[in-house]
Amino acid sequence: MKTALATVTISGTLKEKLEAAAAAGFDGVEIFENDLTQYERSPREVRKMADDLGLEIIALQPFRDMEGMPERLRQQKREMLKRKMEVAHELGTSRLLMCSNVQSYASGDRDQCAADLRFLAEMAEKEGMTLGYEALAWGYHIADYMDAWDLVKRTDHPNLGINLDTFHMYSRGNTLDCLRDEIPVDKIALVQIADAPIMPRQDYLTYSRHSRCFPGQGDMPVVEFLQVLKDKGFDDYLSHEIFNDEFRSSSPIAKAIDGMRSLIWLDDQTVSKEETKTQPVTVPDVKDIEFIEFAVEGESGEELIKTLAQLGFHETHKHVSKNVSLMRQGNINLILNREPASQAHEHFQKHGVSVCALGFSTENVKETLRMAERYRAERFANQAGPGELNIPAIRGIGDSLVYLVGANSRYRFFDVDFVEIEGIKGEQGVGLTRVDHVGQTVSNVDFLSAGFFYKSIFGFEIEPRQDLPDIHGLVVSRTATNKDKSVRIPINMTNARDASAERFMKKAGGSGVHQIAFACKDIFAAVKNMDQEKQLPIPDNYYRDLEARLGLEPALVKKLKEHNIMYDENEAGAFFHCYTEEICGVFFEVVQRVEGYNNYGEANAYVRLASQARQELK
């Protein structure tokens, strides 16, 4: 598979865009005309720069409103294309891309439009160029790719092909029937592949300019599209053309790597005729969250430890050579890292007391690492002492790490590097059993990337987004889960500067873990044994509403209210949960799932968010 990136996709100068594309491993780039027009160097210099970076310039684009124009404008368009072909020659590309006409005064006469395109194709033939014609979703007469194909067929010229763009196809609700049954592979001029969330499509232009994303980050059936192409024997470039506000306001190299990761993922979901005999890509089987590691120092670190103690955690183990200890309860392992020469210390310097790493247990550590490398994740060089475990890790969300531990190992990670602390064996905690979910907050520019990080490398499913009303704005949440939902990672972001997610980002100095939920079998017993000093208070009005809305027994409501426990239910089961106040930017939740309840108490989120906002004002 050959990969390309349209320069409009990422931020920066044209030089920075080319450098980012090369660093991410792309084979080629489409030069978006605006990027070239505003650049200070000549097309020949841009070509040399691309050559030096190992990039092929595969196309110059876009050329708009080329067909069906009134006579005066028709001649102007022909002269313009002639001059642009000179630029294309200097860039070293033989492909030019044209978009369907969006002007109301353009002719919709297919024969006239075909005659116009034929004249342009004959111009291209003389120059050794290929023209690709694309249906814009908001085109005035040609908006569906089937109509674009009809026009290309009418033109009937070897130097004119159809450009296929998944966004324009799927935003119009097009099927793949025309591609599958009618379009020969040698008439495909270029394939541009983009995804997007499914939204009401009343304004295609606005939808296009602000909502596109990389394949696998949205809801469009891009996998089926590529499979049809592979079935037809397509082996040319797959190129990104993404218009997205967040993409163009974030790091060009980070977004270029995201784009390459998405194309690799897309390729892995599909099989070509030549690949049918090869072994399919193995998706890692992540089993659980093995541990959560905190960077702790100073008084604020002691405050965090005090809160964990109130939740029934005790320091049970000490590291054999480092200033690191372990708090355990049930199957929950919380590492407290105070080591001065460590990644945790670096994390503390940037973010204060915080979660600096997660540990995943996986069936096959080597295979998971192979997948991480395949999807351009960065390995972390860990430093272990003699005889100590060297647990492999990759860079995760923000500045955090993800460690990988073998799920079937005879020993737990703490059996080798830690020793038990005397005198605490009898401590049983308050009945917390495991990590239920870990919430991470990211910036709006990293929201899609964070979910796709878990989807591509670990094979997690990304659940539909939830909009959580905060008193200062809307918080958007999507949850990444492994196959059996034993690992759940809600990912939150906001565009509202004072909403809870943004407040966390400001306090934490960037993306990170803001919530940790612990499961238990009996929440009333657990809360009874917890020190409730740090518990988040819930207003009485919530319980009055709960009783009226769900028809709960007054005795149960009284019991819930007494312990600030919130409640939700659906057709699958019920959910009990309560919260601590925030400490060092993190808050803790205790949950009890009854029967098949798999949600997160979203119906209660607005009350919880308001209560947290009030606590911050105290």
Side-chain angles (χ1 to χ4, degrees):
M1 179 185 69
K2 294 189 290 186
T3 60
L5 179 77
T7 55
V8 71
T9 301
I10 56 179
S11 65
T13 65
L14 184 54
K15 180 176 184 291
E16 291 169 336
K17 293 176 186 227
L18 295 182
E19 289 173 342
F26 282 94
D27 302 304
V29 291
E30 297 177 52
I31 300 294
F32 195 69
E33 194 180 31
N34 289 9
D35 288 321
L36 180 63
T37 301
Q38 68 189 12
Y39 196 52
E40 72 273 16
R41 295 189 179 181
S42 71
R44 293 185 190 279
E45 291 175 297
V46 172
R47 176 181 182 175
K48 184 180 185 307
M49 186 163 48
D51 287 343
D52 291 343
L53 290 167
L55 293 170
E56 179 183 358
I57 296 177
I58 69 165
L60 176 63
Q61 62 108 340
F63 301 106
R64 306 179 188 277
D65 307 329
M66 303 297 290
E67 81 285 3
M69 297 297 272
E71 182 60 29
R72 179 182 61 83
L73 294 178
R74 181 178 295 122
Q75 293 301 321
Q76 180 181 322
K77 291 292 182 180
R78 290 173 179 177
E79 181 62 27
M80 181 203 75
L81 188 64
K82 177 182 175 181
R83 294 178 181 274
K84 293 303 180 181
M85 284 193 287
E86 294 174 1
V87 174
H89 281 307
E90 294 176 33
L91 287 171
T93 186
S94 61
R95 252 186 286 215
L96 300 174
L97 303 185
M98 302 184 297
C99 305
S100 60
N101 206 313
V102 299
Q103 304 302 333
S104 59
Y105 52 78
S107 171
D109 184 290
R110 294 281 173 95
D111 291 334
Q112 178 60 59
C113 290
D116 289 341
L117 293 181
R118 190 175 303 111
F119 188 94
L120 299 177
E122 288 171 354
M123 290 174 57
E125 184 179 24
K126 293 175 184 177
E127 297 292 333
M129 296 278 173
T130 297
L131 303 179
Y133 180 74
E134 172 181 77
L136 290 180
W138 56 94
Y140 199 81
H141 298 293
I142 302 290
D144 294 298
Y145 86 106
M146 298 85 74
D147 292 324
W149 171 238
D150 175 68
L151 190 51
V152 169
K153 281 195 301 181
R154 287 171 185 257
T155 303
D156 190 22
H157 195 286
N159 289 71
L160 177 71
I162 186 170
N163 186 53
L164 298 174
D165 185 310
T166 53
F167 174 81
H168 293 299
M169 293 167 65
Y170 287 131
S171 65
R172 297 283 303 185
N174 296 162
T175 70
L176 296 174
D177 294 344
C178 180
L179 173 60
R180 184 183 291 109
D181 301 332
E182 297 186 37
I183 302 177
V185 71
D186 62 355
K187 292 300 290 184
I188 299 174
L190 186 65
V191 171
Q192 294 172 321
I193 195 152
D195 208 338
I198 298 300
M199 297 180 179
R201 296 180 294 274
Q202 305 204 355
D203 181 351
Y204 291 109
L205 181 56
T206 300
Y207 183 35
S208 169
R209 288 292 179 262
H210 304 289
S211 300
R212 295 195 212 189
C213 55
F214 290 126
Q217 295 181 345
D219 304 316
M220 291 177 168
V222 290
V223 172
E224 291 86 341
F225 170 81
L226 183 57
Q227 188 59 62
V228 170
L229 282 181
K230 285 190 174 184
D231 290 344
K232 297 176 79 71
F234 179 82
D235 63 354
D236 199 359
Y237 277 97
L238 287 183
S239 185
H240 285 310
E241 186 193 50
I242 314 292
F243 293 84
N244 185 295
D245 300 333
E246 283 75 26
F247 285 21
R248 293 195 292 266
S249 60
S250 57
S251 160
I253 181 61
K255 281 297 171 279
I257 290 173
D258 276 353
M260 176 55 69
R261 179 178 291 154
S262 75
L263 287 181
I264 295 170
W265 172 84
L266 186 62
D267 190 42
D268 286 345
Q269 309 309 303
T270 53
V271 180
S272 69
K273 295 176 181 178
E274 294 76 17
E275 294 171 326
T276 53
K277 296 180 181 178
T278 63
Q279 186 176 358
V281 175
T282 303
V283 177
D285 190 5
V286 174
K287 292 297 185 183
D288 211 343
I289 294 178
E290 178 73 3
F291 61 80
I292 300 172
E293 181 177 355
F294 293 87
V296 292
E297 294 186 26
E299 292 183 6
S300 55
E302 294 306 313
E303 282 295 310
L304 174 72
I305 294 169
K306 179 181 176 182
T307 298
L308 291 172
Q310 291 170 341
L311 289 168
F313 288 94
H314 304 274
E315 292 191 65
T316 61
H317 295 70
K318 291 282 188 183
H319 196 277
V320 294
S321 67
K322 298 182 175 69
N323 192 2
V324 179
S325 61
L326 176 65
M327 300 184 96
R328 299 200 70 222
Q329 183 175 178
N331 196 36
I332 305 166
N333 301 301
L334 306 179
I335 296 175
L336 307 176
N337 194 329
R338 308 175 180 87
E339 181 67 22
S342 66
Q343 179 268 343
H345 177 68
E346 293 177 6
H347 200 275
F348 173 82
Q349 289 182 313
K350 287 184 179 180
H351 306 284
V353 174
S354 54
V355 173
C356 60
L358 299 176
F360 287 170
S361 63
T362 177
E363 288 283 350
N364 190 324
V365 172
K366 288 185 178 179
E367 183 62 24
T368 306
L369 284 172
R370 188 186 74 80
M371 289 293 285
E373 182 178 353
R374 177 171 176 77
Y375 287 117
R376 305 298 195 267
E378 182 183 351
R379 284 286 299 270
F380 172 72
N382 199 10
Q383 295 181 344
E388 297 175 3
L389 284 178
N390 190 356
I391 304 175
I394 61 173
R395 297 284 181 182
I397 304 303
D399 295 313
S400 67
L401 300 178
V402 176
Y403 286 94
L404 303 172
V405 179
N408 298 319
S409 174
R410 291 176 57 193
Y411 303 101
R412 302 295 291 274
F413 73 94
F414 51 81
D415 290 331
V416 178
D417 290 352
F418 290 78
V419 294
E420 289 187 1
I421 299 173
E422 295 182 5
I424 51 83
K425 273 195 169 183
E427 302 288 357
Q428 299 298 315
V430 299
L432 307 185
T433 57
R434 60 182 306 276
V435 176
D436 185 86
H437 59 275
V438 175
Q440 293 185 310
T441 294
V442 300
S443 67
N444 57 355
V445 301
D446 292 328
F447 184 62
L448 294 173
S449 302
F452 197 69
F453 170 82
Y454 293 110
K455 180 176 183 175
S456 60
I457 297 173
F458 302 108
F460 285 12
E461 296 179 3
I462 308 299
E463 297 178 350
R465 59 179 276 170
Q466 299 278 339
D467 291 338
L468 310 178
D470 187 293
I471 59 174
H472 296 296
L474 202 65
V475 175
V476 180
S477 180
R478 294 189 80 174
T479 300
T481 68
N482 67 344
K483 293 177 183 177
D484 65 0
K485 297 187 184 298
S486 57
V487 179
R488 308 168 190 250
I489 303 181
I491 303 167
N492 295 346
M493 76 91 177
T494 186
N495 290 314
R497 64 180 184 179
D498 293 324
S500 58
E502 186 62 22
R503 296 199 306 273
F504 168 82
M505 291 282 294
K506 291 175 181 176
K507 286 184 287 187
S511 303
V513 170
H514 70 278
Q515 174 190 14
I516 301 173
F518 302 117
C520 68
K521 294 181 179 178
D522 184 345
I523 195 169
F524 293 105
V527 173
K528 183 179 179 181
N529 292 317
M530 283 165 44
D531 186 332
Q532 298 184 38
E533 177 188 347
K534 294 291 185 180
Q535 197 168 9
L536 182 71
I538 303 300
D540 290 350
N541 289 334
Y542 165 77
Y543 295 99
R544 295 184 66 176
D545 174 73
L546 189 67
E547 184 175 7
R549 179 164 47 90
L550 297 180
L552 299 182
E553 292 293 329
L556 174 59
V557 175
K558 180 181 178 182
K559 199 173 179 183
L560 293 169
K561 179 179 175 182
E562 181 181 348
H563 297 289
N564 289 296
I565 296 172
M566 308 182 86
Y567 177 84
D568 189 32
E569 64 181 33
N570 58 24
E571 65 281 358
F575 188 63
F576 298 84
H577 57 139
C578 63
Y579 299 89
T580 69
E581 294 180 1
E582 182 187 293
I583 178 72
C584 302
V586 180
F587 64 92
F588 301 95
E589 182 181 8
V590 176
V591 310
Q592 179 187 349
R593 296 181 182 275
V594 179
E595 297 178 342
Y597 185 96
N598 269 320
N599 291 358
Y600 305 87
E602 294 91 339
N604 299 323
Y606 75 104
V607 177
R608 184 257 299 174
L609 290 167
S611 296
Q612 289 174 323
R614 281 193 298 273
Q615 290 302 306
E616 288 193 30
L617 295 175
K618 288 187 176 181

